Amino acid sequence: MHDVPIVERSRLEKISLISTRTISHTGNMKKNFTPTPIFALLSTNLLLFVACSTNPLLTKNIAMNSSEKERLKLEMNRKANHIERPSNLSNFVYPTEEELLTEADFKNTPSYLQNLNVLADWISKDLSYRQRNQLNKNCEFLVGSFDSKFPLDESTIACAAWWIEKRNVLYSQEQKIKAFNENSSVKMTSSQKKNWLNFQYLSLNQAIPLIDLENNSEQYYTKEALYYADDCTLKNANAALLLKLENFLPNPQTYANIEKIYTKIEGCLVPNEEPSETTHLRMGLLRLLQGKTDLAFTALKKTQLEKEPKENSRSLFWLGTIYKKNNPAQKTNPYWQQLIKENPLSLSALVANQQMGVDPMSVLVSDDSILLQNRAEGGWSKENLEAFIFDVLLATKKNDAAIAWANYVSKTMTTTNPNLILYWVLTQNKLHNYYSSIQLFSRYTRYQKNYLASRGLLNLQFPTPYLREIVSVKSLVDPIFTLALMRQESAFDENARSFANARGLMQVLPNTAKTVRRSVRPNDLYNPDTNIELGDALLEKLFRKYDGKSEYVLASYNAGPANLDKWLTRIPSENTMLFSDFIPFKETRNYVSIILRNYYWYSIILSENENKFAQHVLERSQNSRFKSERVQALLASISEKTSLTELQRNLLNRIYIFGEEGRLNALSMNLLSEKNAKDSGL
């Protein structure tokens, strides 16, 4: 570029001046721009486009001397050192093109328009291989050395998506290396596995697959764990052994072994380090299943020492349940109140509210209180630039590129700023891309501590696509229940396909579908009507098999009937909520509680909608044979039109059943276990 003669540059600048007297913008908006010479590198490149109707970024190599590089850095620092666009859910509007031009301080409008087209073509993959290769080469030279902030101007906008993609590739590589280092598998021979000291320093995930409890080796590993319990370098292996021992429940000897090991290794379970929270929580629940409420409270209380607990809603719920049972006359409940503050829309919070006589809707705030923004402080960082690209594509009606870009960002987003994440939740919802919207909402709640909820936020979190298709299927299953399950299974992506080959909206396996309709082909499951019909038929079978208990139906739908049947023999309990929270698979634990939560809030949203279709859905729901009776009881408890039946009240109060009916039998089994343990030398 610096090889262009000075005379030629002057001629081209005159062409630019003539062509930019008046520029038409999107719609009927017009604005006069006074072109000012920008640094030689980029102005000359773009003016060549005016003269030759071709963009040098796509056609020729670009060179830049050191002074021009410094000029670019100074320009970047001068512009947008402080950017912030705070807003809220009730008044957020996407910026107009004029506002975006002002924000970015663009002056050379022909350059901006030409390079915006290049940006859109790059995102939409409309450039030829040669053009992409040339742009890649030139962008690497122009902006590849900028790591944390982008030098945005009329010309470099063509490289904006390229620059972000490069940052994402580097970040992805770093994360893969980190995950590999943390979770790299360890191989041991059978003889090595029998030496417990070989498990030193392993992570929990590394230790679990190595512990082989087949061939009646439970007692051997228990002896080893107890012998070396004071060695904290084995704490992850000991915790992994506790998880593996659950496979032998309800054997009374296993209860005794787990209790002995846990008591011995408690001192090694340091808060904020693996596997402290997991071990204390599961021991608390296991003790509840045995009716040992005081010991359960002690274990669960230790989870509260974690700075960033991953399953705090469960811990707080059961702490609050024990507290309530021990203090029935106490109106306040510190654990439940903290739970509702931290996770107000969760199933645990819904049950806690009901038990305290509080309407869950009372926690909702106005949409004005829900903050979001599409820019944060710090200039044109990756996050700010991501949103700017979408905003400018939307404002200029480059819809295909805007959608493609929004999809890309949703998959590669790295920001932890909840206000920025909520901007993208709103954006994906606007585009009816519910899969990304729902995934991003989970990210939002992860980083927004004690997040507030509003009606607008509920509508973002619980969209209702495919509801008409659900209602049109003849089924005994509550259509709202199906909607709630669909949201969790596929997030409303009709083309979804899992690693296990489950397909479509309700993630039906081809082989399972054939048990309902032998003629169905795998690709038929991508058809929404077919998928819903078969999915509902499978749900009906499970409701019949498990006597209408929705918790068991959902666990079976997710993990399979074989796994559920094993769990039912290991952890028998009339307290279905306790049973659900003790399910060994974390995915299934979350699955059950999330779908029942969805079911509740979808029922609320539809009940507040006065249109005829919503009322029709509610009527179908009430008349359906298969539904969640516990959620229906929760809904009835806040309804002014109905009162709780005795059956519903008993159903809700089952959360206080902690194995009391088998307490005497359990005590006798524990005495026998201790005797057997003593005889075996443990």
Side-chain angles (χ1 to χ4, degrees), residues 504-536:
L505 292 170
M506 296 181 70
Q507 289 291 275
V508 180
L509 288 164
N511 289 340
T512 307
K514 285 185 177 295
T515 64
V516 178
R517 186 189 301 170
R518 295 189 64 180
S519 62
V520 70
R521 295 169 299 180
N523 284 347
D524 292 342
L525 297 175
Y526 294 124
N527 179 285
D529 294 330
T530 302
N531 192 280
I532 295 168
E533 183 180 348
L534 294 172
D536 267 1

PDB file of all heavy atoms in Angstrom, residues 504-536:
ATOM      1  N   GLY A 504     -34.574 -35.609  17.329  1.00  0.00           N
ATOM      2  CA  GLY A 504     -35.755 -34.766  17.284  1.00  0.00           C
ATOM      3  C   GLY A 504     -36.119 -34.081  18.584  1.00  0.00           C
ATOM      4  O   GLY A 504     -35.353 -34.055  19.546  1.00  0.00           O
ATOM      5  N   LEU A 505     -37.317 -33.520  18.589  1.00  0.00           N
ATOM      6  CA  LEU A 505     -37.767 -32.665  19.684  1.00  0.00           C
ATOM      7  C   LEU A 505     -37.774 -33.366  21.035  1.00  0.00           C
ATOM      8  O   LEU A 505     -37.422 -32.775  22.050  1.00  0.00           O
ATOM      9  CB  LEU A 505     -39.169 -32.136  19.375  1.00  0.00           C
ATOM     10  CG  LEU A 505     -39.268 -31.145  18.215  1.00  0.00           C
ATOM     11  CD1 LEU A 505     -40.719 -30.890  17.844  1.00  0.00           C
ATOM     12  CD2 LEU A 505     -38.568 -29.831  18.566  1.00  0.00           C
ATOM     13  N   MET A 506     -38.198 -34.622  21.069  1.00  0.00           N
ATOM     14  CA  MET A 506     -38.282 -35.360  22.329  1.00  0.00           C
ATOM     15  C   MET A 506     -37.174 -36.396  22.446  1.00  0.00           C
ATOM     16  O   MET A 506     -37.212 -37.252  23.328  1.00  0.00           O
ATOM     17  CB  MET A 506     -39.668 -35.997  22.477  1.00  0.00           C
ATOM     18  CG  MET A 506     -40.790 -34.965  22.562  1.00  0.00           C
ATOM     19  SD  MET A 506     -42.431 -35.674  22.759  1.00  0.00           S
ATOM     20  CE  MET A 506     -42.345 -36.318  24.431  1.00  0.00           C
ATOM     21  N   GLN A 507     -36.184 -36.285  21.559  1.00  0.00           N
ATOM     22  CA  GLN A 507     -34.993 -37.130  21.609  1.00  0.00           C
ATOM     23  C   GLN A 507     -35.346 -38.614  21.747  1.00  0.00           C
ATOM     24  O   GLN A 507     -35.015 -39.283  22.737  1.00  0.00           O
ATOM     25  CB  GLN A 507     -34.084 -36.682  22.743  1.00  0.00           C
ATOM     26  CG  GLN A 507     -33.395 -35.356  22.480  1.00  0.00           C
ATOM     27  CD  GLN A 507     -32.357 -35.459  21.367  1.00  0.00           C
ATOM     28  OE1 GLN A 507     -31.212 -35.826  21.601  1.00  0.00           O
ATOM     29  NE2 GLN A 507     -32.761 -35.129  20.146  1.00  0.00           N
ATOM     30  N   VAL A 508     -36.024 -39.116  20.737  1.00  0.00           N
ATOM     31  CA  VAL A 508     -36.458 -40.513  20.710  1.00  0.00           C
ATOM     32  C   VAL A 508     -35.398 -41.349  19.993  1.00  0.00           C
ATOM     33  O   VAL A 508     -34.937 -40.985  18.906  1.00  0.00           O
ATOM     34  CB  VAL A 508     -37.815 -40.650  19.985  1.00  0.00           C
ATOM     35  CG1 VAL A 508     -38.258 -42.108  19.957  1.00  0.00           C
ATOM     36  CG2 VAL A 508     -38.865 -39.780  20.670  1.00  0.00           C
ATOM     37  N   LEU A 509     -35.033 -42.463  20.589  1.00  0.00           N
ATOM     38  CA  LEU A 509     -34.096 -43.384  19.953  1.00  0.00           C
ATOM     39  C   LEU A 509     -34.805 -44.183  18.861  1.00  0.00           C
ATOM     40  O   LEU A 509     -35.934 -44.644  19.071  1.00  0.00           O
ATOM     41  CB  LEU A 509     -33.513 -44.342  20.980  1.00  0.00           C
ATOM     42  CG  LEU A 509     -32.500 -43.750  21.968  1.00  0.00           C
ATOM     43  CD1 LEU A 509     -32.312 -44.681  23.150  1.00  0.00           C
ATOM     44  CD2 LEU A 509     -31.161 -43.504  21.272  1.00  0.00           C
ATOM     45  N   PRO A 510     -34.170 -44.372  17.708  1.00  0.00           N
ATOM     46  CA  PRO A 510     -34.824 -45.129  16.629  1.00  0.00           C
ATOM     47  C   PRO A 510     -35.298 -46.514  17.065  1.00  0.00           C
ATOM     48  O   PRO A 510     -36.413 -46.926  16.728  1.00  0.00           O
ATOM     49  CB  PRO A 510     -33.721 -45.220  15.562  1.00  0.00           C
ATOM     50  CG  PRO A 510     -32.897 -43.989  15.781  1.00  0.00           C
ATOM     51  CD  PRO A 510     -32.889 -43.788  17.273  1.00  0.00           C
ATOM     52  N   ASN A 511     -34.478 -47.251  17.809  1.00  0.00           N
ATOM     53  CA  ASN A 511     -34.873 -48.595  18.246  1.00  0.00           C
ATOM     54  C   ASN A 511     -36.054 -48.546  19.212  1.00  0.00           C
ATOM     55  O   ASN A 511     -36.939 -49.411  19.173  1.00  0.00           O
ATOM     56  CB  ASN A 511     -33.696 -49.307  18.905  1.00  0.00           C
ATOM     57  CG  ASN A 511     -32.629 -49.699  17.902  1.00  0.00           C
ATOM     58  OD1 ASN A 511     -32.901 -49.783  16.702  1.00  0.00           O
ATOM     59  ND2 ASN A 511     -31.424 -49.935  18.370  1.00  0.00           N
ATOM     60  N   THR A 512     -36.051 -47.528  20.082  1.00  0.00           N
ATOM     61  CA  THR A 512     -37.166 -47.381  21.020  1.00  0.00           C
ATOM     62  C   THR A 512     -38.433 -47.001  20.274  1.00  0.00           C
ATOM     63  O   THR A 512     -39.534 -47.467  20.612  1.00  0.00           O
ATOM     64  CB  THR A 512     -36.842 -46.314  22.082  1.00  0.00           C
ATOM     65  OG1 THR A 512     -35.588 -46.623  22.697  1.00  0.00           O
ATOM     66  CG2 THR A 512     -37.912 -46.260  23.150  1.00  0.00           C
ATOM     67  N   ALA A 513     -38.300 -46.166  19.249  1.00  0.00           N
ATOM     68  CA  ALA A 513     -39.468 -45.750  18.462  1.00  0.00           C
ATOM     69  C   ALA A 513     -40.136 -46.950  17.801  1.00  0.00           C
ATOM     70  O   ALA A 513     -41.365 -46.994  17.681  1.00  0.00           O
ATOM     71  CB  ALA A 513     -39.051 -44.726  17.411  1.00  0.00           C
ATOM     72  N   LYS A 514     -39.338 -47.927  17.414  1.00  0.00           N
ATOM     73  CA  LYS A 514     -39.898 -49.113  16.748  1.00  0.00           C
ATOM     74  C   LYS A 514     -40.749 -49.965  17.695  1.00  0.00           C
ATOM     75  O   LYS A 514     -41.561 -50.770  17.233  1.00  0.00           O
ATOM     76  CB  LYS A 514     -38.769 -49.952  16.150  1.00  0.00           C
ATOM     77  CG  LYS A 514     -38.170 -49.339  14.883  1.00  0.00           C
ATOM     78  CD  LYS A 514     -37.150 -50.252  14.248  1.00  0.00           C
ATOM     79  CE  LYS A 514     -36.613 -49.665  12.953  1.00  0.00           C
ATOM     80  NZ  LYS A 514     -37.661 -49.560  11.913  1.00  0.00           N
ATOM     81  N   THR A 515     -40.568 -49.795  19.007  1.00  0.00           N
ATOM     82  CA  THR A 515     -41.431 -50.526  19.946  1.00  0.00           C
ATOM     83  C   THR A 515     -42.839 -49.950  19.946  1.00  0.00           C
ATOM     84  O   THR A 515     -43.776 -50.599  20.427  1.00  0.00           O
ATOM     85  CB  THR A 515     -40.854 -50.474  21.374  1.00  0.00           C
ATOM     86  OG1 THR A 515     -40.851 -49.111  21.837  1.00  0.00           O
ATOM     87  CG2 THR A 515     -39.435 -51.008  21.412  1.00  0.00           C
ATOM     88  N   VAL A 516     -42.971 -48.741  19.420  1.00  0.00           N
ATOM     89  CA  VAL A 516     -44.290 -48.101  19.319  1.00  0.00           C
ATOM     90  C   VAL A 516     -44.848 -48.257  17.907  1.00  0.00           C
ATOM     91  O   VAL A 516     -46.022 -48.585  17.718  1.00  0.00           O
ATOM     92  CB  VAL A 516     -44.205 -46.606  19.685  1.00  0.00           C
ATOM     93  CG1 VAL A 516     -45.566 -45.933  19.537  1.00  0.00           C
ATOM     94  CG2 VAL A 516     -43.672 -46.434  21.099  1.00  0.00           C
ATOM     95  N   ARG A 517     -43.999 -48.025  16.916  1.00  0.00           N
ATOM     96  CA  ARG A 517     -44.427 -48.124  15.512  1.00  0.00           C
ATOM     97  C   ARG A 517     -43.300 -48.768  14.705  1.00  0.00           C
ATOM     98  O   ARG A 517     -42.263 -48.154  14.471  1.00  0.00           O
ATOM     99  CB  ARG A 517     -44.760 -46.735  14.956  1.00  0.00           C
ATOM    100  CG  ARG A 517     -45.338 -46.767  13.549  1.00  0.00           C
ATOM    101  CD  ARG A 517     -45.434 -45.376  12.965  1.00  0.00           C
ATOM    102  NE  ARG A 517     -46.278 -44.502  13.774  1.00  0.00           N
ATOM    103  CZ  ARG A 517     -46.380 -43.193  13.590  1.00  0.00           C
ATOM    104  NH1 ARG A 517     -45.661 -42.609  12.625  1.00  0.00           N
ATOM    105  NH2 ARG A 517     -47.165 -42.465  14.357  1.00  0.00           N
ATOM    106  N   ARG A 518     -43.504 -49.987  14.290  1.00  0.00           N
ATOM    107  CA  ARG A 518     -42.444 -50.760  13.650  1.00  0.00           C
ATOM    108  C   ARG A 518     -42.001 -50.162  12.326  1.00  0.00           C
ATOM    109  O   ARG A 518     -40.853 -50.331  11.903  1.00  0.00           O
ATOM    110  CB  ARG A 518     -42.920 -52.204  13.427  1.00  0.00           C
ATOM    111  CG  ARG A 518     -43.170 -52.964  14.712  1.00  0.00           C
ATOM    112  CD  ARG A 518     -43.415 -54.433  14.447  1.00  0.00           C
ATOM    113  NE  ARG A 518     -42.245 -55.068  13.874  1.00  0.00           N
ATOM    114  CZ  ARG A 518     -42.196 -56.366  13.541  1.00  0.00           C
ATOM    115  NH1 ARG A 518     -43.277 -57.124  13.714  1.00  0.00           N
ATOM    116  NH2 ARG A 518     -41.108 -56.887  13.026  1.00  0.00           N
ATOM    117  N   SER A 519     -42.887 -49.447  11.658  1.00  0.00           N
ATOM    118  CA  SER A 519     -42.568 -48.927  10.322  1.00  0.00           C
ATOM    119  C   SER A 519     -41.778 -47.625  10.358  1.00  0.00           C
ATOM    120  O   SER A 519     -41.363 -47.134   9.303  1.00  0.00           O
ATOM    121  CB  SER A 519     -43.860 -48.699   9.535  1.00  0.00           C
ATOM    122  OG  SER A 519     -44.675 -47.731  10.191  1.00  0.00           O
ATOM    123  N   VAL A 520     -41.554 -47.057  11.533  1.00  0.00           N
ATOM    124  CA  VAL A 520     -40.895 -45.749  11.602  1.00  0.00           C
ATOM    125  C   VAL A 520     -39.433 -45.873  11.191  1.00  0.00           C
ATOM    126  O   VAL A 520     -38.741 -46.829  11.531  1.00  0.00           O
ATOM    127  CB  VAL A 520     -41.017 -45.148  13.024  1.00  0.00           C
ATOM    128  CG1 VAL A 520     -40.162 -45.910  14.029  1.00  0.00           C
ATOM    129  CG2 VAL A 520     -40.617 -43.683  13.020  1.00  0.00           C
ATOM    130  N   ARG A 521     -38.960 -44.892  10.402  1.00  0.00           N
ATOM    131  CA  ARG A 521     -37.571 -44.845   9.983  1.00  0.00           C
ATOM    132  C   ARG A 521     -36.838 -43.799  10.830  1.00  0.00           C
ATOM    133  O   ARG A 521     -37.461 -42.854  11.323  1.00  0.00           O
ATOM    134  CB  ARG A 521     -37.484 -44.477   8.507  1.00  0.00           C
ATOM    135  CG  ARG A 521     -38.093 -45.519   7.573  1.00  0.00           C
ATOM    136  CD  ARG A 521     -38.226 -44.976   6.159  1.00  0.00           C
ATOM    137  NE  ARG A 521     -39.101 -43.805   6.121  1.00  0.00           N
ATOM    138  CZ  ARG A 521     -39.395 -43.123   5.025  1.00  0.00           C
ATOM    139  NH1 ARG A 521     -38.870 -43.496   3.865  1.00  0.00           N
ATOM    140  NH2 ARG A 521     -40.201 -42.083   5.076  1.00  0.00           N
ATOM    141  N   PRO A 522     -35.525 -43.952  11.016  1.00  0.00           N
ATOM    142  CA  PRO A 522     -34.780 -43.019  11.878  1.00  0.00           C
ATOM    143  C   PRO A 522     -35.004 -41.552  11.531  1.00  0.00           C
ATOM    144  O   PRO A 522     -35.223 -40.728  12.420  1.00  0.00           O
ATOM    145  CB  PRO A 522     -33.322 -43.438  11.665  1.00  0.00           C
ATOM    146  CG  PRO A 522     -33.402 -44.897  11.366  1.00  0.00           C
ATOM    147  CD  PRO A 522     -34.659 -45.057  10.547  1.00  0.00           C
ATOM    148  N   ASN A 523     -34.977 -41.220  10.248  1.00  0.00           N
ATOM    149  CA  ASN A 523     -35.123 -39.816   9.863  1.00  0.00           C
ATOM    150  C   ASN A 523     -36.546 -39.290  10.042  1.00  0.00           C
ATOM    151  O   ASN A 523     -36.769 -38.082  10.024  1.00  0.00           O
ATOM    152  CB  ASN A 523     -34.660 -39.593   8.426  1.00  0.00           C
ATOM    153  CG  ASN A 523     -33.148 -39.577   8.309  1.00  0.00           C
ATOM    154  OD1 ASN A 523     -32.446 -39.490   9.313  1.00  0.00           O
ATOM    155  ND2 ASN A 523     -32.643 -39.691   7.101  1.00  0.00           N
ATOM    156  N   ASP A 524     -37.515 -40.207  10.218  1.00  0.00           N
ATOM    157  CA  ASP A 524     -38.886 -39.769  10.501  1.00  0.00           C
ATOM    158  C   ASP A 524     -38.959 -39.034  11.839  1.00  0.00           C
ATOM    159  O   ASP A 524     -39.876 -38.234  12.068  1.00  0.00           O
ATOM    160  CB  ASP A 524     -39.839 -40.969  10.545  1.00  0.00           C
ATOM    161  CG  ASP A 524     -40.015 -41.618   9.177  1.00  0.00           C
ATOM    162  OD1 ASP A 524     -39.695 -40.967   8.160  1.00  0.00           O
ATOM    163  OD2 ASP A 524     -40.450 -42.790   9.133  1.00  0.00           O
ATOM    164  N   LEU A 525     -37.994 -39.306  12.693  1.00  0.00           N
ATOM    165  CA  LEU A 525     -38.005 -38.713  14.034  1.00  0.00           C
ATOM    166  C   LEU A 525     -37.670 -37.228  14.015  1.00  0.00           C
ATOM    167  O   LEU A 525     -37.817 -36.543  15.028  1.00  0.00           O
ATOM    168  CB  LEU A 525     -37.026 -39.457  14.946  1.00  0.00           C
ATOM    169  CG  LEU A 525     -37.372 -40.928  15.187  1.00  0.00           C
ATOM    170  CD1 LEU A 525     -36.282 -41.612  15.997  1.00  0.00           C
ATOM    171  CD2 LEU A 525     -38.711 -41.047  15.895  1.00  0.00           C
ATOM    172  N   TYR A 526     -37.202 -36.725  12.862  1.00  0.00           N
ATOM    173  CA  TYR A 526     -36.965 -35.288  12.741  1.00  0.00           C
ATOM    174  C   TYR A 526     -38.241 -34.535  12.377  1.00  0.00           C
ATOM    175  O   TYR A 526     -38.257 -33.305  12.397  1.00  0.00           O
ATOM    176  CB  TYR A 526     -35.880 -35.008  11.695  1.00  0.00           C
ATOM    177  CG  TYR A 526     -34.521 -35.527  12.093  1.00  0.00           C
ATOM    178  CD1 TYR A 526     -33.830 -36.412  11.271  1.00  0.00           C
ATOM    179  CD2 TYR A 526     -33.924 -35.138  13.289  1.00  0.00           C
ATOM    180  CE1 TYR A 526     -32.576 -36.894  11.630  1.00  0.00           C
ATOM    181  CE2 TYR A 526     -32.677 -35.615  13.661  1.00  0.00           C
ATOM    182  CZ  TYR A 526     -32.015 -36.493  12.827  1.00  0.00           C
ATOM    183  OH  TYR A 526     -30.781 -36.963  13.203  1.00  0.00           O
ATOM    184  N   ASN A 527     -39.287 -35.269  12.033  1.00  0.00           N
ATOM    185  CA  ASN A 527     -40.582 -34.644  11.776  1.00  0.00           C
ATOM    186  C   ASN A 527     -41.255 -34.343  13.107  1.00  0.00           C
ATOM    187  O   ASN A 527     -41.488 -35.257  13.921  1.00  0.00           O
ATOM    188  CB  ASN A 527     -41.453 -35.589  10.952  1.00  0.00           C
ATOM    189  CG  ASN A 527     -42.830 -35.008  10.673  1.00  0.00           C
ATOM    190  OD1 ASN A 527     -43.682 -34.963  11.557  1.00  0.00           O
ATOM    191  ND2 ASN A 527     -43.047 -34.572   9.457  1.00  0.00           N
ATOM    192  N   PRO A 528     -41.580 -33.079  13.405  1.00  0.00           N
ATOM    193  CA  PRO A 528     -42.134 -32.736  14.723  1.00  0.00           C
ATOM    194  C   PRO A 528     -43.372 -33.536  15.103  1.00  0.00           C
ATOM    195  O   PRO A 528     -43.469 -34.027  16.241  1.00  0.00           O
ATOM    196  CB  PRO A 528     -42.449 -31.238  14.584  1.00  0.00           C
ATOM    197  CG  PRO A 528     -41.478 -30.749  13.564  1.00  0.00           C
ATOM    198  CD  PRO A 528     -41.330 -31.872  12.587  1.00  0.00           C
ATOM    199  N   ASP A 529     -44.327 -33.680  14.193  1.00  0.00           N
ATOM    200  CA  ASP A 529     -45.565 -34.395  14.525  1.00  0.00           C
ATOM    201  C   ASP A 529     -45.289 -35.858  14.867  1.00  0.00           C
ATOM    202  O   ASP A 529     -45.817 -36.395  15.852  1.00  0.00           O
ATOM    203  CB  ASP A 529     -46.558 -34.308  13.363  1.00  0.00           C
ATOM    204  CG  ASP A 529     -47.054 -32.885  13.131  1.00  0.00           C
ATOM    205  OD1 ASP A 529     -47.117 -32.130  14.119  1.00  0.00           O
ATOM    206  OD2 ASP A 529     -47.362 -32.539  11.986  1.00  0.00           O
ATOM    207  N   THR A 530     -44.458 -36.503  14.063  1.00  0.00           N
ATOM    208  CA  THR A 530     -44.112 -37.903  14.315  1.00  0.00           C
ATOM    209  C   THR A 530     -43.367 -38.051  15.634  1.00  0.00           C
ATOM    210  O   THR A 530     -43.644 -38.953  16.432  1.00  0.00           O
ATOM    211  CB  THR A 530     -43.245 -38.459  13.164  1.00  0.00           C
ATOM    212  OG1 THR A 530     -43.948 -38.330  11.938  1.00  0.00           O
ATOM    213  CG2 THR A 530     -42.875 -39.904  13.405  1.00  0.00           C
ATOM    214  N   ASN A 531     -42.420 -37.170  15.859  1.00  0.00           N
ATOM    215  CA  ASN A 531     -41.609 -37.234  17.067  1.00  0.00           C
ATOM    216  C   ASN A 531     -42.462 -37.069  18.321  1.00  0.00           C
ATOM    217  O   ASN A 531     -42.312 -37.821  19.297  1.00  0.00           O
ATOM    218  CB  ASN A 531     -40.522 -36.157  17.011  1.00  0.00           C
ATOM    219  CG  ASN A 531     -39.471 -36.344  18.087  1.00  0.00           C
ATOM    220  OD1 ASN A 531     -39.685 -35.985  19.233  1.00  0.00           O
ATOM    221  ND2 ASN A 531     -38.338 -36.906  17.701  1.00  0.00           N
ATOM    222  N   ILE A 532     -43.361 -36.088  18.304  1.00  0.00           N
ATOM    223  CA  ILE A 532     -44.209 -35.838  19.468  1.00  0.00           C
ATOM    224  C   ILE A 532     -45.150 -37.016  19.707  1.00  0.00           C
ATOM    225  O   ILE A 532     -45.352 -37.449  20.853  1.00  0.00           O
ATOM    226  CB  ILE A 532     -45.007 -34.527  19.283  1.00  0.00           C
ATOM    227  CG1 ILE A 532     -44.053 -33.328  19.242  1.00  0.00           C
ATOM    228  CG2 ILE A 532     -46.027 -34.349  20.403  1.00  0.00           C
ATOM    229  CD1 ILE A 532     -44.697 -32.044  18.771  1.00  0.00           C
ATOM    230  N   GLU A 533     -45.713 -37.549  18.636  1.00  0.00           N
ATOM    231  CA  GLU A 533     -46.639 -38.679  18.776  1.00  0.00           C
ATOM    232  C   GLU A 533     -45.942 -39.882  19.407  1.00  0.00           C
ATOM    233  O   GLU A 533     -46.471 -40.507  20.341  1.00  0.00           O
ATOM    234  CB  GLU A 533     -47.201 -39.045  17.404  1.00  0.00           C
ATOM    235  CG  GLU A 533     -48.238 -40.158  17.448  1.00  0.00           C
ATOM    236  CD  GLU A 533     -48.783 -40.500  16.075  1.00  0.00           C
ATOM    237  OE1 GLU A 533     -48.528 -39.739  15.122  1.00  0.00           O
ATOM    238  OE2 GLU A 533     -49.455 -41.536  15.951  1.00  0.00           O
ATOM    239  N   LEU A 534     -44.738 -40.197  18.927  1.00  0.00           N
ATOM    240  CA  LEU A 534     -44.009 -41.346  19.454  1.00  0.00           C
ATOM    241  C   LEU A 534     -43.480 -41.068  20.862  1.00  0.00           C
ATOM    242  O   LEU A 534     -43.503 -41.948  21.732  1.00  0.00           O
ATOM    243  CB  LEU A 534     -42.855 -41.701  18.521  1.00  0.00           C
ATOM    244  CG  LEU A 534     -43.253 -42.201  17.133  1.00  0.00           C
ATOM    245  CD1 LEU A 534     -42.039 -42.340  16.235  1.00  0.00           C
ATOM    246  CD2 LEU A 534     -43.984 -43.538  17.242  1.00  0.00           C
ATOM    247  N   GLY A 535     -43.007 -39.850  21.084  1.00  0.00           N
ATOM    248  CA  GLY A 535     -42.514 -39.487  22.410  1.00  0.00           C
ATOM    249  C   GLY A 535     -43.596 -39.570  23.459  1.00  0.00           C
ATOM    250  O   GLY A 535     -43.386 -40.085  24.572  1.00  0.00           O
ATOM    251  N   ASP A 536     -44.780 -39.075  23.132  1.00  0.00           N
ATOM    252  CA  ASP A 536     -45.908 -39.148  24.068  1.00  0.00           C
ATOM    253  C   ASP A 536     -46.319 -40.595  24.335  1.00  0.00           C
ATOM    254  O   ASP A 536     -46.678 -40.964  25.457  1.00  0.00           O
ATOM    255  CB  ASP A 536     -47.096 -38.356  23.523  1.00  0.00           C
ATOM    256  CG  ASP A 536     -47.115 -36.922  24.036  1.00  0.00           C
ATOM    257  OD1 ASP A 536     -46.190 -36.563  24.791  1.00  0.00           O
ATOM    258  OD2 ASP A 536     -48.040 -36.171  23.695  1.00  0.00           O
TER     259      ASP A 536
END
